[in-house]
Amino acid sequence: MSQASTRFGLDSSILLDDAKGLRRRVVEKVKKASTAQDVLCFLVAFRILNALSVKTFFQPDEYFQSLEPAWQIAFGEGSGAWITWEWKNRLRSAIHPAFFACVYWVAAALAWVLRLSPTWRADLLIAAPKVAQAFVAAVGDFYTWKLAERVYGTNSNESWAALALSVSSPWQWFCSTRTLSNCLETTLTVIALNDWPWQWSMDPKDDDEVDDDGLRIGNKDNKSDSQSDSKSESSQSTDQAGGNDGKNAGDQEDVDELAKSVPSFWTCMKRGIDWENRLRRCLLLAALACILRPTNVLIWICFACFALLRIVARGKMLSSPWEGWQFWIHVSSLTLLPATKKERNTLLREVFICGSLMLFVSALMDRLYYQQWTFPPLRFLYFNIAQSLAVFYGRNDWHYYISQGYPLLLTTLLPFGVTGIYQSLFPPDTPPQYSSYSPFMKAIKHQLASTSLLVPFVLSFISHKEVRFIYPLLPILHVLAAAPFTTFFLPAVSPAIQRTSQFPPRQIIFGLLIFTNIFIAIFTTTSHQTAPLTVMDYLRSQHSTHYLSQPPSGFLPPAPSTMSVGFLMPCHSTPWRSHLVYPSIKAWALTCEPPVNLNASARTNYLDEADQFYANPKGFLRESLGRPPPSKKRLRSWFGWLTGRKKVKGGFGRDDMIEADAWDGRQGRKTWPEYLVFFEQMEPTMAEVLKGSAYRDCWRGWNSYGHDDWRRKGDMRVWCLRKQGVKGKRKGWFG
């Protein structure tokens, strides 16, 4: 055969194989899309169940930094929302509340269309933000799985293990469906990481795939997204070649390999455009996460440095004046490697464009909410760092994120998370699967592990620390923990591996781990700190029974139009209007405004309203509320036949309530309400203060088995002026 005919035959084989390979890739993509769709639908259903199952209180920010301003946006300033000092001083972006305001608008419109009763409408308004957040949490789980596929390969055991770790995580069950800005920040971060150009952090090679602009869109080692396609094509080519002789089979394999190694022009063009769009989507989501939580910028500084900078160590041996002595000079410096010049320019240009666009959108939304131009991230840093107002809410030890943060995030997965970080920083040679990892995979894992250590290290310099501040790192930790988790448990649970005993030790450990995760998840979402939510259900039911329903006849007086409630407990111990719902429920609570714009000496002696109450409860009640309403019992006088019977004031305080203006967190005059809410540890004091008054014990709700705050110990109690039976204490798990 001539050289020309051989070349012609080779080109024909390439074109024919490209057409067949295209069909096979289409089939594989359809199967992959179907699997991804099934996984996403399962995660959405799972997280909706998760959201509706959470019956416990975690952080006040879940309500006061998202749902309360969202309620005000949706229903107006007179709707009874509690707007905290952060919003009054323009420290928060309005983007997050605007999302839930849209949810409230849709829920209210749906209630109006369906002509729901006030009770059903209230239940819908309470459930709607939970369901919306469930979708956000499901997307976070889904992209944790996709990130693991980028690291370990499509349909790999490690990627499925990462998904299982995210779904079975007690922390995710406890926190992911709450309306905290940290939860949305976590989802935005993991989505953006899936679109980050990891290949730009690798050293350039001659066989890298580049687009028309000279940007790398893939490299020899990056086979994560096409492993399954390559395997299916290779196996199919092998089957077709099996019917030929050995020489033809070998030639066919060479042709297949050559065809697969030469991507078409349109394939490269499409992938180049796709990567450009993915980079912009990544940067837009990262910018949004940084606007929501300014500390998120630490994560992206780390990844940008990995892509743009490289620490290069140089050394030189110098001779000394003394005979036989030499000195080694070691110098470390930063270089603009490994990204190419075009990649650096593209990244910086897109960062500027996407960042400016997101800042413009944020500034416009803040202008609409605050009615003036402002930049909340800068004010947030100024108030919390320059004025050290974050310290007002507590100080933590320098090792908090190591001793408490990561153990709370990972719980039972802590050994695997620590092992995954260590193995990513120092890759072992054994077992075999570790040595077979590609340089691309090792580079991504090294960057993820380094970021998961650098971010907590920097945040440790801030005095006020909370575990949710490092929550965006949890998907990264799940991806890193997936490899040691699979290595340890796969031989014990895989049906394809024969085992000598029916219940090997690792299988028992696996069962105990699942049981422990389920126990922690159920306990923290159904038993620990349930009273802050159940008391709101009780108050709404009282409002529906005694204030919304009118009597059927004229024998009873008409129901009052307004119900008043007072909360004598640490500030923000319960949700507010997002769970009270009805604007006719007038409520006040103890406030805890920080010492804004005060000098250092004034901050030292500053006591907020809640601190003043707990320092001297009796004196505070006497000065702030005056004499409690006395009993309605008629007083009989020795000279009753002359003076008649004297009736004491009823005690509902309607006139006082009209004059009071300290509702919904506002400063002003408080009045004795119809319902007083406090924790059990305050009951002896309240019983002494309210002795002889018209208040009676009306409700008792289970809260927790113990609490680190002495002010929140015991059950939650409600004393009221309305005569009714006492609701029994809800039992805990163990009676």
Side-chain angles (χ1 to χ4, degrees):
M1 184 178 295
S2 65
Q3 183 177 4
S5 63
T6 303
R7 184 176 299 170
F8 177 78
L10 180 60
D11 293 341
S12 301
S13 300
I14 291 176
L15 293 175
L16 183 61
D17 183 76
D18 187 64
K20 293 181 179 179
L22 179 61
R23 288 193 295 269
R24 287 194 294 269
R25 283 192 293 271
V26 170
V27 173
E28 291 295 330
K29 287 183 179 295
V30 170
K31 292 181 179 178
K32 182 179 178 181
S34 178
T35 302
Q37 185 178 6
D38 293 340
V39 170
L40 182 58
C41 290
F42 163 76
L43 291 174
V44 170
F46 179 77
R47 288 304 175 192
I48 290 177
L49 174 64
N50 180 183
L52 298 179
S53 300
V54 174
K55 304 296 182 183
T56 56
F57 184 87
F58 175 41
Q59 285 284 348
D61 286 5
E62 179 182 355
Y63 310 102
F64 293 91
Q65 302 302 340
S66 57
L67 298 185
E68 291 303 310
W71 190 278
Q72 184 192 51
I73 296 174
F75 304 112
E77 294 186 359
S79 58
W82 183 314
I83 304 302
T84 59
W85 70 275
E86 292 98 331
W87 297 97
K88 296 175 182 177
N89 289 276
R90 308 186 303 280
L91 269 64
R92 303 286 183 178
S93 171
I95 294 180
H96 190 224
F99 168 70
F100 290 107
C102 295
V103 174
Y104 279 134
W105 282 331
V106 173
L110 182 61
W112 181 81
V113 170
L114 298 178
R115 297 292 190 268
L116 298 181
S117 65
T119 302
W120 281 97
R121 180 181 181 274
D123 293 337
L124 178 61
L125 291 175
I126 293 173
K130 297 180 180 180
V131 175
Q133 183 61 38
F135 279 90
V136 175
V139 172
D141 292 329
F142 180 79
Y143 277 95
T144 299
W145 173 52
K146 302 304 289 185
L147 178 61
E149 284 193 331
R150 288 209 64 190
V151 175
Y152 299 107
T154 304
N155 206 30
S156 60
N157 292 326
E158 290 85 354
S159 64
W160 287 107
L163 177 62
L165 295 182
S166 183
V167 170
S168 62
S169 168
W171 179 266
Q172 288 286 68
W173 180 269
F174 173 72
C175 187
S176 67
T177 58
R178 299 182 184 273
T179 54
L180 292 163
S181 60
N182 309 88
C183 299
L184 180 58
E185 175 198 8
T186 301
T187 297
L188 294 174
T189 302
V190 72
I191 297 175
L193 288 176
N194 278 270
D195 295 325
W196 179 254
W198 300 101
Q199 66 274 11
W200 293 2
S201 61
M202 302 287 293
D203 293 327
K205 296 182 180 179
D206 295 335
D207 56 354
D208 289 337
E209 298 179 25
V210 297
D211 60 8
D212 291 343
D213 296 329
L215 303 177
R216 284 179 290 172
I217 58 177
N219 55 57
K220 181 179 178 182
D221 299 319
N222 184 9
K223 301 297 182 182
S224 299
D225 296 333
S226 58
Q227 282 181 346
S228 59
D229 297 338
S230 300
K231 290 179 182 179
S232 62
E233 293 177 11
S234 300
S235 62
Q236 199 160 352
S237 300
T238 304
D239 294 339
Q240 292 175 353
N244 302 329
D245 54 17
K247 184 177 182 300
N248 293 335
D251 294 340
Q252 182 67 28
E253 290 179 0
D254 294 339
V255 171
D256 291 340
E257 291 297 328
L258 181 60
K260 286 181 289 185
S261 63
V262 182
S264 66
F265 168 78
W266 294 109
T267 301
C268 291
M269 178 65 71
K270 180 178 180 300
R271 293 182 62 185
I273 297 175
D274 180 63
W275 265 114
E276 188 176 354
N277 293 333
R278 293 181 67 174
L279 175 61
R280 290 172 179 170
R281 182 172 58 187
C282 167
L283 296 177
L284 286 173
L285 293 174
L288 178 57
C290 293
I291 289 175
L292 292 178
R293 301 287 306 177
T295 52
N296 190 264
V297 72
L298 296 175
I299 296 177
W300 298 106
I301 288 176
C302 292
F303 290 122
C305 290
F306 288 130
L308 300 177
L309 303 176
R310 176 68 59 85
I311 298 178
V312 178
R314 297 184 179 89
K316 185 177 181 181
M317 190 69 70
L318 300 178
S319 58
S320 66
W322 300 279
E323 183 178 356
W325 288 82
Q326 289 182 326
F327 297 96
W328 174 262
I329 304 299
H330 182 86
V331 179
S332 297
S333 60
L334 291 176
T335 64
L336 294 177
L337 292 175
T340 64
K341 182 178 180 180
K342 291 184 178 179
E343 291 168 351
R344 289 196 299 270
N345 293 338
T346 300
L347 182 59
L348 295 177
R349 183 190 72 235
E350 296 298 332
V351 166
F352 175 77
I353 295 175
C354 296
S356 300
L357 178 60
M358 191 54 63
L359 284 176
F360 173 76
V361 173
S362 174
L364 185 60
M365 296 192 66
D366 292 333
R367 175 67 176 83
L368 294 175
Y369 178 75
Y370 291 112
Q371 299 299 309
Q372 59 179 303
W373 293 107
T374 185
F375 188 54
L378 184 61
R379 295 183 62 84
F380 177 87
L381 295 176
Y382 170 74
F383 274 83
N384 285 279
I385 296 178
Q387 291 198 21
S388 301
L389 293 182
V391 180
F392 181 74
Y393 295 100
R395 294 176 178 266
N396 302 90
D397 297 328
W398 63 268
H399 54 77
Y400 172 85
Y401 291 117
I402 299 175
S403 59
Q404 300 182 48
Y406 272 2
L408 286 174
L409 283 180
L410 292 169
T411 55
T412 57
L413 299 177
L414 182 62
F416 302 101
V418 173
T419 304
I421 293 175
Y422 179 81
Q423 292 178 347
S424 300
L425 296 175
F426 310 100
D429 296 330
T430 58
Q433 58 264 33
Y434 291 134
S435 59
S436 64
Y437 286 167
S438 66
F440 179 77
M441 184 187 305
K442 293 179 180 179
I444 296 182
K445 293 184 63 178
H446 187 275
Q447 295 177 37
L448 294 176
S450 300
T451 303
S452 64
L453 295 180
L454 290 174
V455 172
F457 174 76
V458 175
L459 292 177
S460 296
F461 288 95
I462 301 176
S463 299
H464 180 65
K465 307 175 183 67
E466 292 185 38
V467 62
R468 58 192 178 96
F469 295 167
I470 59 171
Y471 185 21
L473 299 176
L474 184 57
I476 296 176
L477 296 174
H478 284 157
V479 172
L480 297 177
F485 183 86
T486 303
T487 303
F488 188 81
F489 284 118
L490 186 61
V493 299
S494 176
I497 300 178
Q498 295 183 354
R499 291 174 286 274
T500 56
S501 60
Q502 185 176 3
F503 297 104
R506 293 189 182 185
Q507 203 172 51
I508 297 175
I509 296 175
F510 183 75
L512 291 175
L513 185 144
I514 294 178
F515 173 79
T516 304
N517 284 354
I518 294 175
F519 176 83
I520 295 175
I522 294 177
F523 176 78
T524 55
T525 55
T526 62
S527 184
H528 182 64
Q529 294 197 86
T530 58
L533 298 183
T534 55
V535 72
M536 293 298 178
D537 297 337
Y538 167 74
L539 293 174
R540 286 198 315 277
S541 66
Q542 290 294 296
H543 183 268
S544 300
T545 303
H546 302 291
Y547 297 83
L548 289 181
S549 60
Q550 293 292 331
S553 64
F555 294 100
L556 296 175
S561 59
T562 304
M563 168 180 168
S564 59
V565 185
F567 294 84
L568 291 172
M569 52 181 60
C571 66
H572 309 320
S573 292
T574 66
W576 202 252
R577 194 57 56 184
S578 62
H579 281 63
L580 289 173
V581 179
Y582 303 109
S584 55
I585 299 181
K586 295 290 186 178
W588 57 259
L590 302 178
T591 61
C592 54
E593 304 294 319
V596 180
N597 298 325
L598 295 182
N599 55 38
S601 60
R603 284 188 214 151
T604 304
N605 301 321
Y606 178 79
L607 290 178
D608 59 41
E609 190 177 43
D611 291 336
Q612 296 174 26
F613 169 73
Y614 281 100
N616 185 9
K618 298 178 183 178
F620 179 88
L621 294 175
R622 182 174 57 254
E623 295 176 5
S624 300
L625 301 179
R627 178 172 172 267
S631 173
K632 280 187 175 183
K633 293 181 179 180
R634 295 177 176 177
L635 302 180
R636 296 183 180 274
S637 171
W638 290 101
F639 305 97
W641 58 277
L642 290 177
T643 60
R645 295 179 179 178
K646 183 178 180 181
K647 181 183 283 189
V648 179
K649 184 180 177 181
F652 279 86
R654 294 287 167 187
D655 297 334
D656 293 339
M657 191 173 66
I658 294 175
E659 297 175 3
D661 54 1
W663 308 111
D664 305 317
R666 294 190 294 269
Q667 298 293 328
R669 180 177 180 273
K670 294 181 174 64
T671 182
W672 286 102
E674 295 163 283
Y675 293 84
L676 271 176
V677 187
F678 50 87
F679 282 103
E680 188 176 13
Q681 63 86 24
M682 187 56 61
E683 188 174 22
T685 302
M686 296 304 300
E688 184 177 351
V689 172
L690 300 177
K691 184 178 181 181
S693 70
Y695 284 101
R696 297 292 182 268
D697 191 358
C698 297
W699 183 86
R700 180 187 186 118
W702 163 265
N703 189 42
S704 65
Y705 291 101
H707 206 287
D708 55 353
D709 188 349
W710 63 271
R711 301 172 301 175
R712 291 183 169 94
K713 288 185 178 180
D715 298 338
M716 191 171 288
R717 310 301 298 269
V718 176
W719 284 30
C720 61
L721 295 175
R722 187 175 296 276
K723 184 178 181 181
Q724 54 191 284
V726 179
K727 181 177 178 180
K729 174 182 175 182
R730 187 173 69 84
K731 298 295 184 180
W733 280 15
F734 306 106

